[in-house]
Each structure stands twice: as C-alpha cells, then as structure tokens.
Amino acid sequence: MGKLATLAEAVASIPSGTHVALSGFAITRCNMAFAREVIRQGIRGLTVSQCVGAMDADLLVGAGAVERMIYGGGSLDRFGRLNNVNRAIESGTLIAEEYSSLSVAFRYLAGALGLPFIPTRSLRGSDILARLQQIAPENIGTVQDPFTGDEWLALRPLVPDVAVVQVQVADEEGNAWIFGPRWDNEEQVKASQRVIVITEQLVPTEIIRRDPERTVIPGFKVSHVVHLPFSAHPTSVYRVYDYDAEHIREYAAATRTVEEFRAYLEKYVFGVQDHWEYLELIGGMKRLTSLMADPILGY
Amino acid sequence: MGKLATLAEAVASIPSGTHVALSGFAITRCNMAFAREVIRQGIRGLTVSQCVGAMDADLLVGAGAVERMIYGGGSLDRFGRLNNVNRAIESGTLIAEEYSSLSVAFRYLAGALGLPFIPTRSLRGSDILARLQQIAPENIGTVQDPFTGDEWLALRPLVPDVAVVQVQVADEEGNAWIFGPRWDNEEQVKASQRVIVITEQLVPTEIIRRDPERTVIPGFKVSHVVHLPFSAHPTSVYRVYDYDAEHIREYAAATRTVEEFRAYLEKYVFGVQDHWEYLELIGGMKRLTSLMADPILGY
Amino acid sequence: MYAEDYTPFELMAVAGARELKDGEIVAVGIGLPVVASFLAKRTHAPRLTILFELGIVDPEPIHTGVGLADPRVWYRAKVMSSFVDMLGMVLHRGLVDVGFLGGLETDAYGNLNTTLLGDPRGTFTHSVGSGGANDIASSAKRTVIIIRHQARKLKEAVSFVTSPGYLQGGSAREAAGLRGGPVRVITDKAIFGFDPHSKRLRLESIHPRITLEDVLANMGFQPLVPDQVPVTEPPTVEQIRLIREEIDPERIYAG
Amino acid sequence: MYAEDYTPFELMAVAGARELKDGEIVAVGIGLPVVASFLAKRTHAPRLTILFELGIVDPEPIHTGVGLADPRVWYRAKVMSSFVDMLGMVLHRGLVDVGFLGGLETDAYGNLNTTLLGDPRGTFTHSVGSGGANDIASSAKRTVIIIRHQARKLKEAVSFVTSPGYLQGGSAREAAGLRGGPVRVITDKAIFGFDPHSKRLRLESIHPRITLEDVLANMGFQPLVPDQVPVTEPPTVEQIRLIREEIDPERIYAG
C-alpha cells in the first residue's frame, strides 16, 4: 500500500510508449538516475515532454528510448547543445514537436486546469508554428475570441501519463517541496495523470504540515516516492548540491558522435548495477562532498 | 519616489468609479482599515471584485460606496450573511454580477495571463448563468473547442484597476508574502493594473531575498505599500491575530437594518479620525493583545 | 455494535461518511460534511483526501471553526494554496470524486438553491450564493446533498438553480454539458437516490424510528417510493464516540 | 568621461544598457544581455526589474553562471517562481517593456533564427531552438537584438524564423497578430534600427574605429544607409569599470 519505492520499482511502473514529463531544465534538477534506470530496464518508445529540453531528455534520446519529444528547445547551457536530441532530429529518428517555453507551459497549464484548449499569442507568424502544423497538426487549432472576434492560436492541453519530478524534500505520501525557481514543474505535476517523486530528502509528514504553503506537489497525485540522494548528478539540485562541471563536460564531449556516446552509456549506465555503483564510479564520497551546496549560496 | 505611504495617501490614489479587487475571504484578511478610510474619504461608485464576498466588501456596500459587485457569493461564515450586500441587491441599489468562486478565479486568471477569454464547465445549466446573461452579457460568451467541436462557456478576463491586498509581510518595494491559503489573491494581483499592499509587518528587502519562493506579490506591480498593524480588524490575519468574534457579532447585528448600520458607521468609521483612533475605540492594547495569534496554532 | 443514543445530525454525518471510499478525494464546505469526512478518514477511509476550496488539503483541526475562513480549520494542513489550485487543478481537472453540498432548498431532480428565495425578477431575499458549490456540482464525479427534512427545503422545483442537479430530469444534465451529478440526498428522516432514467428523487431508506408518513408529509413533492424501503443503517457506537469526543467535541456541527 | 580601452563586447553591453529606461521590466537570457541589464540597473536605471524566464526576478549574482540553469545567477532573487508566472503573468500579460534576443542569424526584417541551419525539409543542423525567445519576440513591447557582425549571421532572409521580427516587412507583423517588434540590432560594428514603414534594417550608428565599408562588407545584405551616420557613443570609464570589476569580473560574458 505504501508509496515508498526503489528507483527500479518506480521505473518498472512505466511501460514502453508512455508519455513522461521530466522536471529537468538544461543542467538543473534533471532526472538523471531515473533516465539511467529507464535505459537499463530497456524501456523504449517514450514520449518525453518538458518546457526546456534538458540533460535527462538528452540521455534518454541518446540511448534510443524516446520516440517523440514535446519541448521548447534546450541546451546544456554553456556546456553545449543537446547533441543527442539534435542528432536524432537531424537523422529523423526522433519526432520533435518543438514549441517555445511558454507554449509548452500553457499546454501543461490547460491540462492542469481541465481546459479544453488554451489560446496564446506565441508562435504566430513563426516557422515553429509552420513546422508544428506539419508534425503535430492535431495539437494546433484556431479559435475566435467571442468578445472581440479576433482569431487566436489555440493549443491542445498536454496531459502526460506520468510526471517524474526531482525535488529537494518529500514525505512518504509524496507531498513535496521545490526550492528555487520551479519553471514548469508545478503545471507538469498537475497536468499529469500521476507523479513519481524522486527526492533528495525524505521527511515526516509532520514537517510538511509545518510549512504547507511550500507544498507544490500534493501527495494525492503521487504513485511512487523514491528517496535517492544525488539522483540528479551530474546536474544540480539547488540548496543541496552543485552541478558537476567536469562530468558534464565529459558528457558533452561524449555526445559528439554516436560511437563516443555508446562508450559513455557502457561505462556510466550499463557498466553499473544501480545508482550506488554509479556514485562510486564517478568518484564516490570524495567527489560528491566537493559538490555539496553552501547553505547560504545554495550552490 | 518611494512607495511607502500612509493609508490615507494610498486610498486617495483611488478615484470614484475605480474597479477594486479586495483580498478578503468571509472574515479573514479583509481590507477593513482600507474600507473605513475609503468611506471617510467619500469615494463612491466603486466596482468591487473578489471570489468570495467578504466583510470588507459588505462594509463598503453598506456605506454606499459600491455600484457593482463581481463576486461568487459570500457570508460572514457562522456570524451571518452579508446583510448590507444582500439588502442592496434586494433593493436594486447594487448591481450584483454573481458567479461561483471558480468562475471569478478563472476570470482573474485569464486577466493575469493575458488570455482573451477562458473556457469553463462551471455555471452551465444554472440560473447563475441565466442571470449573468441579463446583468452582464458582455462578460459571457461561447466558444467552440477547435479539437472536439464541443461548445464551451467562455468568460471575459477580469482586469481590476487596483488590487488591495492585506498581507502579513512586505518590503518597501511591495514584494510581499502571504501565509496560509491564498484563495484568489495571487491571481487578483497579477490580473490588476496595479496593487496596493497593506502589511502587518514591514521587512527589509534582504528578508524577502532569503525566501523568494514565498513572494506571491512582486514589487513591480505595487504602487503603494502601507504598513499598518491590525488593519484587518475585526477579521483575522493568519499567524498574526485572530478574528474578533465579539466585534463581528456586533457588526452582524448592526447590519440588520439601515438605521442600525448608520449608527455603526457613525461610531466606528466617521467617529474616528484614523486607524489608530479606531484601535483605541475597539479596546486598544488590551483588546488587541487578547487576539494575538499563538505562534504554533496560527490563530 | 450500533449505537442507541444519537441525534439526527449525527446519523446524517455517519450516512455522509458512508458515501466516501478509501483513496477518494472529497471537496467539502463547512458543517456536517466536515464531520462526515473526518469520520470517514478516521474509520474506513484513512487515505481519503479532504479539500477546502480556498486552498486547504487534509487539515487536522483541534478546535472547531466558524467556517472555511477560520484558521482553526486550516490547522496542520498538508497544502495551503488557492482557488485555482483546488477548484481549478483538482476539481475542474476532474479529480474530485465526491462533493458535499447543502443549501436553502433542493428539488425533485437534485438541483440546489443557495442564492435567493422568492422571485428573482421581483421580490426576493438574497442568501449566500454559490461560493464553490456551483463548481463542485458542475465538475465533481458525484455529489451528496445533506439537507434538513422540511417541506420548505424539499420542493418540486427550487426558485433558483445555484448548483445544477439533473435540471429538468432525464438527460437534461448531460445536454447542458455536465458530467456526474447528485447520487444521494441525506436528510434527518431518510436517504434518497435518483432514478437512473427519469433522474427523479427516489426514497432509498428511512431512518430508525421514522415512518414513511413522516417522510412524505414533510416534503413539498412526492418522491419515487419503492415497494420495500429498508431502514437506514444506524451509527455504530465507535462512530458516535469519535464524533463526540474527537471530531466535534463542542458539538458545533453535529448539534 | 569616455573610456579609451574597451572590447567590442563591452561596447555592445553598454549599447544594450542604454536601451533600458528606469522603471522598465526587462526579460533577459544569459550572456551579454545580463551584463547590459545589470549595468543599466547600477547606473541610470536603479528601478529596472530584471526577469529570467524560469522564474527569477532581480537576482544579485556574485559569481558568474554558465546559463539560466545555474543557481549562481539566481542568487538573492526577490521572486523564485515559474514559467507561467514570468512568461505568462508578466510577459504574455503585456508587462515586459524590453526583451533582449540573440541567435544564430537575423535578417533584414529582424527575424531571428535559433533553431536550425540548412533546409528544414532536407539537410540541416539543429541548434537550441526557442526557449522563451519566441515568446519574448511575440509579446514584449519592444525587443533588442544583440548579435555578432558576420555575413553568415546577418542575412537577407533567415533559414528558419524562430522569433518573428517584422516577418516580410511592412505590416506583416501586425497582420500576424503580433504587437511590438525589434527596435535595435546591436553588433560589434554598428547599431541598427528599422525603417518605420518598410521595417527594413537601417544603419543608425557605426562604432568608433569602424568604417562604413567594414559594416557593409560583413553583412549578407544591404541595409538602409542614411546620408549621415553618426559614430556610436563610446562606453564611459565608469561603465567599463563596473563591467570589469563588479558585473563580469571573470570576463565570461563580455569577452
């Protein structure tokens, strides 16, 4: 009956072909341990959505686990581009439903609110819209404003099967807090059919009740709670640990070719049994403690 | 250049006929000192909006300051009904644009997001809708869902001229925190053209920067910051003070007839020069300290 | 073990609690539905999620409040958020299983009036209006109405439909684009359901010590009455103890 | 007092800062626009509000970050919220005065491409896409483009319009239902505006020590060139000091 689960159990609840919303933004709060386990379990054909494409999605795409990506563009910030995503788009192996940040956020918001569609000013006149009309015409419509008669672009609500969200603090019911900016995470969670929470810190519900204004993920949406420290490595978790610049540089370099990336996967994903072996491989306690966030700075 | 203002100065920025969104909900975080000053300054012809009609609106309506109310029904909880509002509706002196809580919240949300309209399932088939079609047909429309062809009710965005929000904590730029549930306040603020913040506690911006996830009112929307303790009396401010049950009972009794309410206004509004005289009149330090919230319970 | 000593309000609260299943999400206003929901959560439905429209999830009050605006009923909540979160992202999103509703009057098709009595275009007295009631009636998967059993409150047609039930009956509700609808009306004399086709109020059980005549004589219209009408299951001793000692010790809600 | 010693990037940052007025709200990505915005806030525009799309208002970083995802650039923010808050409730709401944009290439009508180079229906290389850039280009009251002055980046027409400028020029932008539009293109050789009618790029000033030939020879198309083209106002000594000592001491952004 309880929701506490191992990462392997939580990942096993996701059938191939599922639509997964991921909480990462570029190189922060990415579902890295989750993505590694998805790859190890051989799950494929996923639809992945997020407002800004991030390292979690790039890893999954690079491993061939993703069929469609619904996103607003993305990068590894100054560390580079999403080479796996880009290569898959260029070679036609990934269907890229590419929007802008707000367009995806609005699609999640419409899903969260149970709206039939949401009008937006974004995308008009752009080639993003022209391309969407080819790739995903079923998600793009027009409506007439009943008050002015103006025509507006309308987007279909986005309702992922599951949102996977990397958080700082959660209880065993899945009530969770996010420190720092939340980008699209709250709307992802509230749009999705269910939620997997991956948390750095597991606290008693008593703690959640002391500061309930912070609870952006309500337990009743959550199916699995995975307590797994450093699960976003090598990306950062605000107030907990910094990104691992050295490892991200290694990743960015490895994604330049299919062959190099295969070697990266062999080493860091297939070469370890689980997250704990991964943490040892990347340098264990010594490396990880060097990344721990300063309590004032948050990084 | 600064935004710090006296209550009188902030109220003087509101011309007769303005659309004011009020932060109160029944008998909590109501803009009571604000309403008393509006009445003393003789401002009239206001449009007042809030998701659930509250004591702040009832006081303003009872003093004849309000021409139109846009709300979702309301009461003084177990202390009674909004007798002034109800009497004004029954006698035809108040235009009551009456919705449900969510319908008003959705109208604010659409205003906040810059949407041209917002579709909703609420109100369909009800006499609330039938009455709105008579009283405010300009705010009610229908749209066709471009994806299913279904017809939906559409509401016009609500964009108040000014939101007046009673908060626990703000800095002198107007960045503000709300403890406890926020009901419609965030959407009110973000829909409105500008905001007047009335705060129990004034803190340095340094404090705001320490917990920025809490900032639901951003300073850039705020025109005036009024630091005025006990400004919601006799209603409660979560974590600061409890409602004054004795005074609310006196108010509820006084609103039973026009004559009794005139006497109430004479005593508590016109009979005092300002908020400080009011606080003395209702019992001063002794009464107020008896209402101070327990730090754990919050009331 | 069933209780012998209980009030009509306590019976109504227990009947309300029995409408809730474990793991469900319930939207409640104040009053008896609060007692019913907390009772269910402490007995057969520990994983029930309780929502208050202004932005409260699963509070654990230790003092009785005067209404939703009273911080006493927010105490120890797990979430404190907003209307848009509760009524938008849970209710309008389609996740609320049960909504409890009450009002000035209800009618043969479960329509509820909390707005006004009299003629809306002529002389009337205005009451509290909708709050979230219309929203709950429109978007919850099912609603349960709790109301006193008086002829002036149980009428053939209400004077103002604040919260739609089955409107004029039959398929009128679906035609208006609404799903769900009322499944029970719980009064202090009986429990009603709705005929699956006509959607007209139908007697389901009569409370202990109440006669069919008591039920019908105090209604403004004739409900459907099956040949056999069972007696409502009484509260258990434990349910009454929980209400009196823990949930409503000051007996503010359950009279 | 004007500085003698400054880099082209520093001049671009200063020119960007001069586009911002006190009290305005500016939406910025990372890189030079950050330097421009912080510089404006520390000089002539202390009441400037600086937004990052992911949910950050008015941070005061003390370390340089690698991008918006770096908590270094969130430090001491006054608000930490969300895309819906920043891009929805500020930008789409119509409150952003200025948006800074950069990209792979821009064209004679200020359209920007951050998506792909090549033929979108054939062979192409994909880049970073929009992020919030399309949203800013669509809803900000005005936008300022900062881009390097190279023929491959300043083209008659971009291969993919990620963020619309004036589209095909004239009234094409209004016809598409968009307000605002780009008002400046700042390069390392010159500053451009747009002709009020044709909406075609028009040279406004040439940076010190750069010739008109330098400007035109390194563009993929011919902009409008007025008879008299002034020299761009150079940075002041104080502006350069602020950039070097306080805003970008590691010279990550401003080269």
Side-chain angles (χ1 to χ4, degrees):
Chain A
M1 285 290 286
K3 296 177 183 175
L4 280 179
T6 64
L7 180 61
E9 288 165 350
V11 168
S13 77
I14 297 177
S16 287
T18 298
H19 175 178
V20 183
L22 297 177
S23 66
F25 175 93
I27 53 162
T28 183
R29 279 202 299 102
C30 292
N31 296 288
M32 299 308 293
F34 169 83
R36 291 185 287 262
E37 181 63 22
V38 164
I39 297 165
R40 275 192 296 267
Q41 291 196 16
I43 296 165
R44 299 179 76 85
L46 297 176
T47 291
V48 162
S49 66
Q50 53 190 187
C51 281
V52 167
M55 196 171 178
D56 41 12
D58 193 68
L59 180 63
L60 287 168
V61 171
V66 182
E67 186 177 296
R68 174 182 289 255
M69 214 170 137
I70 299 170
Y71 78 132
S75 75
L76 303 180
D77 274 353
R78 294 239 158 176
F79 292 107
R81 295 182 180 169
L82 302 179
N83 289 332
N84 287 325
V85 170
N86 286 348
R87 189 163 44 239
I89 294 173
E90 290 157 14
S91 66
T93 58
L94 177 72
I95 303 168
E97 219 183 294
E98 199 174 334
Y99 295 80
S100 64
S101 297
L102 180 63
S103 312
V104 181
F106 266 11
R107 291 197 61 194
Y108 284 135
L109 180 64
L113 291 167
L115 301 182
F117 61 88
I118 189 163
T120 180
R121 193 183 303 111
S122 291
L123 306 184
R124 290 188 197 174
S126 74
D127 286 332
I128 304 179
L129 180 59
R131 205 166 158 84
L132 282 168
Q133 278 159 342
Q134 292 160 15
I135 286 177
E138 69 278 13
N139 295 329
I140 304 288
T142 54
V143 288
Q144 202 180 25
D145 177 351
F147 302 113
T148 64
D150 291 348
E151 195 160 275
W152 280 71
L153 182 64
L155 303 174
R156 184 188 283 274
L158 195 54
V159 181
D161 297 308
V162 56
V164 184
V165 187
Q166 179 82 30
V167 305
Q168 288 93 345
V169 171
D171 70 10
E172 61 177 33
E173 297 175 3
N175 298 296
W177 296 346
I178 292 174
F179 292 98
R182 298 175 291 280
W183 43 97
D184 53 6
N185 290 181
E186 185 169 353
E187 290 77 19
Q188 282 181 324
V189 160
K190 289 171 182 178
S192 294
Q193 301 287 14
R194 68 180 175 104
V195 180
I196 294 174
V197 166
I198 301 179
T199 186
E200 296 290 333
Q201 192 89 31
L202 188 69
V203 299
T205 300
E206 190 58 37
I207 298 294
I208 298 293
R209 291 189 193 273
R210 284 197 200 170
D211 211 354
E213 294 95 338
R214 287 201 190 279
T215 312
V216 294
I217 304 181
F220 59 80
K221 295 224 63 159
V222 176
S223 63
H224 297 75
V225 178
V226 180
H227 176 211
L228 198 65
F230 293 105
S231 39
H233 182 276
T235 70
S236 67
V237 175
Y238 181 61
R239 293 203 197 179
V240 187
Y241 48 88
D242 201 2
Y243 53 85
D244 184 338
E246 197 180 319
H247 192 100
I248 298 177
R249 269 191 291 267
E250 184 181 341
Y251 177 93
T255 56
R256 277 183 307 219
T257 67
V258 171
E259 296 67 34
E260 285 170 290
F261 191 65
R262 197 164 297 146
Y264 178 93
L265 288 177
E266 284 305 328
K267 179 171 178 186
Y268 291 109
V269 179
F270 297 114
V272 295
Q273 280 221 310
D274 60 16
H275 182 59
W276 303 107
E277 277 193 25
Y278 168 85
L279 292 183
E280 287 305 323
L281 180 65
I282 58 97
M285 287 290 287
K286 190 172 173 191
R287 176 72 158 272
L288 294 171
T289 51
S290 77
L291 300 173
M292 295 303 290
D294 176 280
I296 303 300
L297 295 171
Y299 52 85
Chain B
M1 284 289 286
K3 296 176 184 177
L4 281 179
T6 64
L7 180 62
E9 288 165 350
V11 168
S13 77
I14 297 176
S16 287
T18 297
H19 174 178
V20 183
L22 296 178
S23 66
F25 176 94
I27 52 162
T28 184
R29 280 202 297 100
C30 292
N31 296 289
M32 299 308 292
F34 170 83
R36 291 185 287 261
E37 181 64 21
V38 164
I39 297 165
R40 274 193 296 268
Q41 290 196 16
I43 297 164
R44 298 179 76 84
L46 298 176
T47 291
V48 163
S49 66
Q50 54 191 184
C51 280
V52 167
M55 195 170 178
D56 41 12
D58 193 68
L59 180 62
L60 286 169
V61 169
V66 182
E67 186 177 296
R68 175 181 290 255
M69 215 171 135
I70 298 170
Y71 78 131
S75 74
L76 302 180
D77 273 352
R78 295 238 157 176
F79 293 107
R81 295 182 179 170
L82 302 179
N83 289 333
N84 287 325
V85 170
N86 287 348
R87 187 163 45 241
I89 294 173
E90 291 157 13
S91 65
T93 56
L94 176 72
I95 303 167
E97 220 182 296
E98 199 175 334
Y99 295 81
S100 63
S101 298
L102 182 62
S103 312
V104 181
F106 267 11
R107 290 196 62 194
Y108 284 136
L109 181 63
L113 292 167
L115 301 181
F117 61 89
I118 188 162
T120 181
R121 192 183 304 109
S122 291
L123 305 185
R124 290 186 198 176
S126 74
D127 286 332
I128 304 178
L129 181 58
R131 205 166 157 84
L132 282 168
Q133 278 159 341
Q134 292 160 14
I135 286 176
E138 69 280 12
N139 296 328
I140 305 287
T142 54
V143 287
Q144 203 181 24
D145 177 350
F147 302 113
T148 64
D150 291 348
E151 194 160 276
W152 281 71
L153 181 65
L155 303 175
R156 184 188 285 273
L158 195 53
V159 181
D161 297 308
V162 56
V164 184
V165 187
Q166 179 82 29
V167 304
Q168 288 92 345
V169 171
D171 70 9
E172 61 177 31
E173 297 175 3
N175 298 295
W177 295 347
I178 292 173
F179 292 98
R182 297 175 291 281
W183 43 96
D184 53 5
N185 291 179
E186 185 169 353
E187 290 77 20
Q188 281 182 325
V189 160
K190 289 171 182 179
S192 295
Q193 302 287 15
R194 68 179 176 105
V195 180
I196 293 173
V197 166
I198 302 178
T199 186
E200 296 289 333
Q201 193 89 30
L202 188 70
V203 299
T205 299
E206 191 58 38
I207 298 295
I208 298 293
R209 292 189 191 272
R210 284 197 198 171
D211 211 353
E213 294 94 338
R214 288 201 190 279
T215 312
V216 295
I217 304 181
F220 60 80
K221 296 223 63 158
V222 176
S223 63
H224 297 76
V225 178
V226 180
H227 176 211
L228 197 65
F230 293 104
S231 38
H233 181 276
T235 70
S236 68
V237 176
Y238 180 60
R239 294 202 196 178
V240 187
Y241 49 88
D242 201 1
Y243 53 84
D244 184 337
E246 197 181 318
H247 192 99
I248 298 178
R249 270 192 290 267
E250 183 180 342
Y251 178 92
T255 57
R256 279 184 305 220
T257 66
V258 171
E259 296 65 35
E260 285 170 289
F261 190 65
R262 195 164 298 148
Y264 178 92
L265 287 177
E266 285 303 330
K267 179 171 179 187
Y268 291 108
V269 179
F270 297 114
V272 295
Q273 278 220 311
D274 61 17
H275 182 60
W276 305 107
E277 276 193 27
Y278 168 85
L279 292 182
E280 287 305 324
L281 180 65
I282 58 97
M285 287 290 287
K286 190 172 175 190
R287 176 73 156 272
L288 294 171
T289 50
S290 76
L291 300 173
M292 294 304 288
D294 176 282
I296 303 298
L297 296 171
Y299 52 85
Chain C
M1 194 174 66
Y2 291 120
E4 292 292 321
D5 165 38
Y6 54 85
T7 69
F9 291 109
E10 286 167 341
L11 175 62
M12 291 164 84
V14 168
R18 287 180 175 139
E19 295 295 326
L20 301 171
K21 301 190 189 81
D22 197 22
E24 289 193 321
I25 298 178
V26 57
V28 300
I30 204 69
L32 269 181
V34 175
V35 181
S37 302
F38 284 118
L39 181 61
K41 196 167 170 81
R42 295 211 186 189
T43 54
H44 64 281
R47 296 185 309 116
L48 187 72
T49 298
I50 298 173
L51 308 182
F52 296 157
E53 63 177 76
L54 77 167
I56 292 287
V57 177
D58 279 347
E60 292 185 349
I62 56 170
H63 296 115
T64 316
V66 296
L68 288 188
D70 191 334
R72 284 158 187 75
V73 307
W74 311 342
Y75 187 58
R76 286 175 52 76
K78 293 175 189 162
V79 178
M80 290 185 172
S81 61
S82 65
F83 283 126
V84 164
D85 190 37
M86 295 290 107
L87 295 181
M89 297 188 174
V90 189
L91 178 69
H92 201 264
R93 168 76 172 74
L95 301 182
V96 168
D97 295 293
V98 185
F100 279 114
L101 298 170
L104 298 168
E105 51 180 21
T106 186
D107 69 15
Y109 298 103
N111 301 299
L112 262 171
N113 174 14
T114 51
T115 300
L116 58 82
L117 291 175
D119 176 359
R121 301 201 193 189
T123 304
F124 61 88
T125 58
H126 194 277
S127 182
V128 298
S130 165
N134 170 278
D135 307 308
I136 292 169
S138 301
S139 288
K141 292 180 193 166
R142 62 187 198 274
T143 55
V144 174
I145 296 169
I146 300 188
I147 197 162
R148 294 226 205 155
H149 199 105
Q150 299 171 347
R152 64 181 183 90
K153 289 176 128 351
L154 300 166
K155 305 214 316 214
E156 175 64 36
V158 293
S159 46
F160 190 97
V161 178
T162 310
S163 303
Y166 296 105
L167 297 169
Q168 302 80 35
S171 58
R173 183 180 168 91
E174 287 152 276
L178 299 167
R179 282 169 287 175
V183 294
R184 293 285 179 280
V185 175
I186 299 170
T187 77
D188 44 302
K189 295 189 190 296
I191 296 176
F192 300 85
F194 292 87
D195 179 79
H197 299 292
S198 70
K199 305 297 185 186
R200 196 171 165 88
L201 203 70
R202 186 180 66 185
L203 190 58
E204 292 208 342
S205 71
I206 301 179
H207 298 344
R209 298 187 289 265
I210 306 285
T211 65
L212 179 61
E213 289 61 43
D214 286 341
V215 169
L216 298 180
N218 289 287
M219 295 179 67
F221 65 97
Q222 176 73 24
L224 301 175
V225 180
D227 292 342
Q228 299 292 325
V229 183
V231 175
T232 306
E233 184 182 0
T236 66
V237 169
E238 174 63 6
Q239 286 170 325
I240 295 299
R241 187 195 68 76
L242 279 168
I243 292 173
R244 292 185 185 176
E245 293 180 15
E246 298 185 22
I247 296 169
D248 189 21
E250 297 170 62
R251 308 191 78 160
I252 289 189
Y253 299 136
Chain D
M1 195 175 62
Y2 290 121
E4 291 293 321
D5 165 38
Y6 54 86
T7 69
F9 292 108
E10 286 167 341
L11 174 62
M12 290 164 84
V14 168
R18 287 179 176 141
E19 295 295 326
L20 301 171
K21 300 191 188 81
D22 197 22
E24 289 193 320
I25 298 179
V26 58
V28 299
I30 203 70
L32 270 181
V34 175
V35 181
S37 302
F38 283 119
L39 181 62
K41 196 167 169 80
R42 294 209 186 190
T43 54
H44 64 280
R47 296 186 308 120
L48 188 72
T49 298
I50 298 173
L51 309 182
F52 296 158
E53 63 178 77
L54 77 168
I56 292 287
V57 177
D58 279 347
E60 292 186 348
I62 56 171
H63 296 114
T64 316
V66 297
L68 287 189
D70 191 333
R72 283 159 188 75
V73 307
W74 311 342
Y75 186 58
R76 287 174 52 77
K78 293 175 191 163
V79 179
M80 289 186 173
S81 62
S82 66
F83 283 125
V84 164
D85 190 36
M86 294 290 105
L87 294 181
M89 296 187 174
V90 189
L91 177 68
H92 201 265
R93 168 76 172 73
L95 301 182
V96 168
D97 296 292
V98 185
F100 278 115
L101 298 170
L104 299 168
E105 51 181 20
T106 187
D107 69 14
Y109 298 103
N111 302 299
L112 260 172
N113 175 14
T114 51
T115 300
L116 58 83
L117 292 175
D119 175 359
R121 302 202 192 188
T123 305
F124 61 87
T125 57
H126 194 276
S127 181
V128 298
S130 164
N134 171 277
D135 307 308
I136 292 169
S138 301
S139 288
K141 292 181 194 165
R142 63 187 198 273
T143 55
V144 174
I145 296 168
I146 301 189
I147 197 162
R148 293 227 206 155
H149 199 105
Q150 299 171 346
R152 65 182 181 89
K153 290 175 126 353
L154 300 167
K155 303 212 319 211
E156 175 65 36
V158 292
S159 44
F160 190 98
V161 178
T162 310
S163 303
Y166 296 105
L167 297 169
Q168 301 80 33
S171 58
R173 183 179 169 92
E174 286 151 278
L178 299 167
R179 283 169 285 176
V183 295
R184 292 285 179 280
V185 175
I186 298 171
T187 78
D188 44 302
K189 294 189 190 299
I191 297 175
F192 301 85
F194 292 87
D195 178 78
H197 300 291
S198 70
K199 305 295 186 187
R200 197 173 165 86
L201 202 71
R202 186 179 66 184
L203 189 58
E204 292 209 341
S205 71
I206 301 179
H207 298 344
R209 297 186 289 267
I210 306 286
T211 66
L212 179 60
E213 289 62 43
D214 286 341
V215 170
L216 298 179
N218 289 288
M219 294 179 69
F221 65 97
Q222 176 74 24
L224 301 175
V225 181
D227 292 343
Q228 298 294 323
V229 183
V231 175
T232 307
E233 184 182 0
T236 65
V237 170
E238 173 62 6
Q239 285 170 325
I240 296 299
R241 188 196 67 76
L242 280 168
I243 292 173
R244 292 185 184 177
E245 293 178 17
E246 298 185 23
I247 296 169
D248 188 21
E250 298 170 62
R251 306 190 78 160
I252 289 188
Y253 299 136

